[in-house]
Amino acid sequence: MAKHDLILIALNPSPILDLMERALSAAGFQVAVAHDRLSLDKSIQEAVPSLLVIAETFGGQDGFAVSAEILERFPTLPIILYVDKDTTGLAKSALKTGLSGYLFPPLKIPDIVEEVQRSLARARKLGDWLRHEVKRTTSSLVQKADFSEAERQKLEAIISNIQDGVIVVDKNRNIILVNRAVCDIFDLKSVNLIGRPLAEAIANEDLKALLVRASEGPLKYHEINFDDGRVFNAQYAPIPQVGFAVTMQDISYLKELDRLKSDFIHTISHDLRSPLTSILGYTELVERTGPLTPNQQEFLRRLQGSVQHITTMVNDLLDLGRLDAGFDTRREAVHLENVLKYSLDIFENQAKKKEIKLSVDVSPDLTPLRANPIRIRQMLDNLIGNAIKYTPQNGSVHVSMSMQGDQIVIKVQDSGVGIPTEEQGRIFEKFYRATNAASGIVGSGLGLAIVKSIVESHQGRVWVESTMEKGSTFIVLLPAQN
Ligand code: ADP
């Protein structure tokens, strides 16, 4: 027992009060007495007693109610209630209120001291436990904070030293992290970007386009071009509970390589055209030089087929070269339903041969498109041609055209072989043929590259949704006014 423990007694003047005072003083406690509510509150507040003994009725007030109020403010203060008469009801109420103990007559000195010591010991244990818990929790919090601070610094060091640009923004699109590379890329060295809205802090049209594109559709990347020739591939990655991140890789050298490759292909294609035309011309002349045996005729037919195939490929390559170089600027009002009709005319026979059901659904509110009609026809031919080519006997191909706000949506859906998920991202590349085309389906791998170039030269987007063995849907979005 701590000798200086102060016991506050809140009892009306009575022999019991005297007895308690004497008993507790004799046991070595300091004793203070409160005679009314005001002095009780003042003593608790200022003298900070170790324990309170309160009468069932004190200063005209209910001792339970007063105890409950005091415990609200000082939950660890042990309180002993003195009652004039012991009843089970009282004991229950004392427990419910959260009192430490209670005393009742006949009172003997040892009863009083024992009850006070017991309550104090319990309160002390509770206090020790609380202190221990607070210490434990605090030290684990400090540890965690140290750990996360160290982690944060490590992460910051990694992010600031990587070559790729990294921007992280919160849900309100305010920048919360940028690395050095971003400042170098946008030449923003001396500007403080943290906390500023991304669109305002880095005013770049391609970056803005990426944000619009990523929040509206499934495409999460975009090229960022600079006037000095640098090209970056920017990717958008949502971060749950934070916002999103944009990472940027320098692909200028890849673009340069691509340009050199395209130039090379363009030159070769161009140079191949004349010899191919003359081969085809001579094969036609051979037939006129005299009667041919059936074998010779068959060989000649195959020769012409192959030359035709190479000529188509060369023409496709030249087309791609023109599209990529941005030479395709012809624009006029194009009624898509008419172009579609012409396109379907040439595929009707192929579909019939494979007993493929070819259906069309053109929305009546379709607005005319400002486009190059020849290119749009070429795009439809490639998509519908592929749909028929990659759909087995008795399948179906459905073409639909509709409006979605100010966008025209063209869908070419087939019930064909489907495209493996891991290859879907590559089929729009030049010369890429997916593994589903391995089983003898003829092609050059250029059709979809042309489709993509045409769509992009009309400020549109194209992508595929496909399930193996179920079929594929190619979706083209074109802005109605462009
Ligand atoms: P190809 O001349 O090989 O058809 P494309 O560029 O038109 O070349 O298509 C590229 C590849 O995409 C094809 O080789 C094929 O693997 C796949 N592909 C295109 N269209 C479809 C389709 N409708 N169904 C399944 N696979 C397709």
Side-chain angles (χ1 to χ4, degrees):
M1 175 193 43
K3 290 278 175 207
H4 50 263
D5 273 335
L6 173 69
I7 312 296
L8 179 63
I9 307 178
L11 251 71
N12 299 328
S14 64
I16 296 289
L17 171 62
D18 297 342
L19 179 70
M20 280 191 192
E21 265 192 286
R22 261 187 291 122
L24 293 172
S25 301
F29 292 106
Q30 286 186 49
V31 181
V33 178
H35 293 297
D36 53 33
R37 181 65 197 269
L38 202 69
S39 64
L40 172 65
D41 286 344
K42 203 162 173 263
S43 305
I44 291 179
Q45 194 76 42
E46 290 168 10
V48 196
S50 304
L51 183 141
L52 169 70
V53 182
I54 188 166
E56 186 187 355
T57 311
F58 168 71
Q61 290 185 353
D62 177 10
F64 276 109
V66 176
S67 301
E69 267 176 46
I70 294 171
L71 283 176
E72 276 284 306
R73 285 160 50 217
F74 306 95
T76 52
L77 176 69
I79 301 180
I80 295 174
L81 187 77
Y82 171 74
V83 293
D84 291 329
K85 211 168 158 214
D86 176 32
T87 65
T88 16
L90 272 174
K92 259 193 206 163
S93 306
L95 274 174
K96 256 193 216 156
T97 314
L99 301 178
S100 299
Y102 85 117
L103 292 165
F104 49 88
L107 268 186
K108 287 190 207 110
I109 287 179
D111 295 341
I112 301 170
V113 176
E114 226 171 73
E115 186 64 16
V116 167
Q117 280 173 342
R118 202 185 50 77
S119 293
L120 278 175
R122 232 185 64 197
R124 220 161 271 134
K125 266 192 202 150
L126 183 70
D128 286 351
W129 179 82
L130 264 179
R131 269 186 293 281
H132 179 258
E133 271 306 288
V134 168
K135 209 165 134 194
R136 196 176 60 83
T137 323
T138 319
S139 72
S140 97
L141 277 177
V142 168
Q143 235 176 25
K144 270 190 199 154
D146 282 354
F147 178 71
S148 53
E149 177 57 19
E151 283 296 289
R152 198 187 63 75
Q153 279 178 7
K154 207 156 68 181
L155 193 70
E156 212 171 88
I158 295 170
I159 290 176
S160 68
N161 282 303
I162 55 175
Q163 297 282 314
D164 293 351
V166 180
I167 309 169
V168 183
V169 302
D170 64 16
K171 287 176 192 144
N172 301 321
R173 300 199 161 195
N174 293 327
I175 299 176
I176 50 179
L177 195 149
V178 275
N179 68 352
R180 223 173 18 218
V182 172
C183 301
D184 292 344
I185 294 168
F186 292 100
D187 200 17
L188 295 165
K189 278 162 214 117
S190 55
V191 190
N192 187 13
L193 301 169
I194 307 295
R196 293 175 59 192
L198 175 60
E200 174 211 296
I202 306 178
N204 178 288
E205 286 309 316
D206 288 336
L207 185 63
K208 262 187 219 155
L210 165 72
L211 303 185
V212 173
R213 180 167 160 167
S215 50
E216 283 176 1
L219 291 179
K220 307 285 182 216
Y221 57 88
H222 197 81
E223 273 180 15
I224 298 190
N225 292 279
F226 291 91
D227 292 343
D228 56 9
R230 287 175 304 143
V231 186
F232 287 81
N233 182 32
Q235 274 142 350
Y236 171 102
I239 311 177
Q241 279 150 25
V242 175
F244 63 83
V246 175
T247 53
M248 298 171 61
Q249 296 95 35
D250 190 346
I251 53 164
S252 313
Y253 69 102
L254 287 176
K255 280 278 158 185
E256 182 56 18
L257 272 180
D258 197 43
R259 195 187 59 75
L260 288 175
K261 195 184 77 190
S262 298
D263 285 357
F264 174 72
I265 291 174
H266 189 77
T267 314
I268 299 274
S269 319
H270 196 264
D271 291 353
L272 274 176
R273 241 193 359 192
S274 333
L276 281 172
T277 316
S278 70
I279 294 172
L280 205 59
Y282 280 113
T283 57
E284 278 158 11
L285 281 180
V286 169
E287 287 178 304
R288 296 193 203 158
T289 54
L292 299 177
T293 65
N295 256 353
Q296 285 170 328
Q297 271 175 354
E298 172 58 17
F299 293 159
L300 207 57
R301 201 187 51 75
R302 287 195 194 181
L303 186 63
Q304 283 170 343
S306 296
V307 175
Q308 202 64 58
H309 181 65
I310 304 176
T311 311
T312 313
M313 204 173 197
V314 164
N315 286 336
D316 280 354
L317 282 171
L318 285 171
D319 261 354
L320 259 177
R322 267 182 230 120
L323 280 163
D324 289 349
F327 293 156
D328 179 55
T329 49
R330 177 177 160 190
R331 293 289 179 267
E332 58 192 73
V334 176
H335 293 269
L336 281 172
E337 60 273 37
N338 295 342
V339 183
L340 179 61
K341 244 180 244 153
Y342 287 118
S343 187
L344 290 172
D345 278 351
I346 60 158
F347 288 110
E348 227 162 32
N349 270 342
Q350 277 185 39
K352 236 182 229 157
K353 261 192 217 155
K354 287 177 86 175
E355 290 178 51
I356 287 173
K357 193 172 154 262
L358 194 55
S359 57
V360 176
D361 179 15
V362 178
S363 156
D365 64 348
L366 207 66
T367 56
L369 178 72
R370 278 203 67 72
N372 178 341
I374 294 170
R375 294 297 183 201
I376 296 295
R377 167 77 192 275
Q378 200 177 3
M379 174 194 86
L380 286 174
D381 284 357
N382 274 318
L383 291 176
I384 300 171
N386 275 352
I388 294 173
K389 194 160 79 167
Y390 294 100
T391 297
Q393 206 78 13
N394 293 316
S396 63
V397 171
H398 181 72
V399 185
S400 71
M401 291 179 169
S402 60
M403 294 300 298
Q404 198 178 78
D406 53 4
Q407 311 235 63
I408 294 172
V409 187
I410 303 170
K411 287 187 185 175
V412 180
Q413 184 177 13
D414 64 54
S415 64
V417 292
I419 304 160
T421 318
E422 62 282 8
E423 291 186 277
Q424 287 173 17
R426 299 202 58 192
I427 56 170
F428 293 95
E429 289 173 17
K430 284 177 208 138
F431 299 113
Y432 190 85
R433 304 201 72 211
T435 42
N436 63 5
S439 55
I441 303 175
V442 197
S444 61
L446 285 172
L448 288 181
I450 292 179
V451 168
K452 187 165 181 258
S453 290
I454 294 174
V455 171
E456 287 182 351
S457 72
H458 287 83
Q459 282 75 48
R461 290 189 271 148
V462 58
W463 70 95
V464 67
E465 286 165 9
S466 180
T467 311
M468 285 301 280
E469 314 294 343
K470 292 227 163 91
S472 314
T473 305
F474 284 82
I475 302 152
V476 176
L477 281 189
L478 290 169
Q481 319 288 332
N482 70 62

PDB file of all heavy atoms in Angstrom, residues 191 203 295 348:
ATOM      1  N   VAL A 191       9.993  23.465 -61.260  1.00  0.00           N
ATOM      2  CA  VAL A 191       8.608  23.667 -60.810  1.00  0.00           C
ATOM      3  C   VAL A 191       8.246  22.626 -59.750  1.00  0.00           C
ATOM      4  O   VAL A 191       8.581  21.456 -59.877  1.00  0.00           O
ATOM      5  CB  VAL A 191       7.640  23.524 -62.011  1.00  0.00           C
ATOM      6  CG1 VAL A 191       6.242  23.975 -61.615  1.00  0.00           C
ATOM      7  CG2 VAL A 191       8.145  24.300 -63.189  1.00  0.00           C
ATOM      8  N   ALA A 203       0.748  20.511 -68.761  1.00  0.00           N
ATOM      9  CA  ALA A 203      -0.224  20.784 -69.823  1.00  0.00           C
ATOM     10  C   ALA A 203       0.272  20.181 -71.129  1.00  0.00           C
ATOM     11  O   ALA A 203       0.967  20.827 -71.896  1.00  0.00           O
ATOM     12  CB  ALA A 203      -0.421  22.281 -69.954  1.00  0.00           C
ATOM     13  N   ASN A 295      -1.296 -29.770-118.013  1.00  0.00           N
ATOM     14  CA  ASN A 295      -0.318 -29.576-116.937  1.00  0.00           C
ATOM     15  C   ASN A 295       0.258 -28.164-116.971  1.00  0.00           C
ATOM     16  O   ASN A 295       0.370 -27.495-115.940  1.00  0.00           O
ATOM     17  CB  ASN A 295       0.835 -30.566-117.103  1.00  0.00           C
ATOM     18  CG  ASN A 295       0.704 -31.698-116.106  1.00  0.00           C
ATOM     19  OD1 ASN A 295      -0.165 -31.652-115.247  1.00  0.00           O
ATOM     20  ND2 ASN A 295       1.547 -32.712-116.256  1.00  0.00           N
ATOM     21  N   GLU A 348     -20.774 -12.068-100.525  1.00  0.00           N
ATOM     22  CA  GLU A 348     -21.953 -12.930-100.501  1.00  0.00           C
ATOM     23  C   GLU A 348     -21.637 -14.349-100.964  1.00  0.00           C
ATOM     24  O   GLU A 348     -22.014 -15.328-100.324  1.00  0.00           O
ATOM     25  CB  GLU A 348     -23.034 -12.325-101.384  1.00  0.00           C
ATOM     26  CG  GLU A 348     -24.365 -12.321-100.676  1.00  0.00           C
ATOM     27  CD  GLU A 348     -25.324 -11.358-101.322  1.00  0.00           C
ATOM     28  OE1 GLU A 348     -25.243 -11.180-102.556  1.00  0.00           O
ATOM     29  OE2 GLU A 348     -26.147 -10.792-100.584  1.00  0.00           O
TER      30      GLU A 348
END
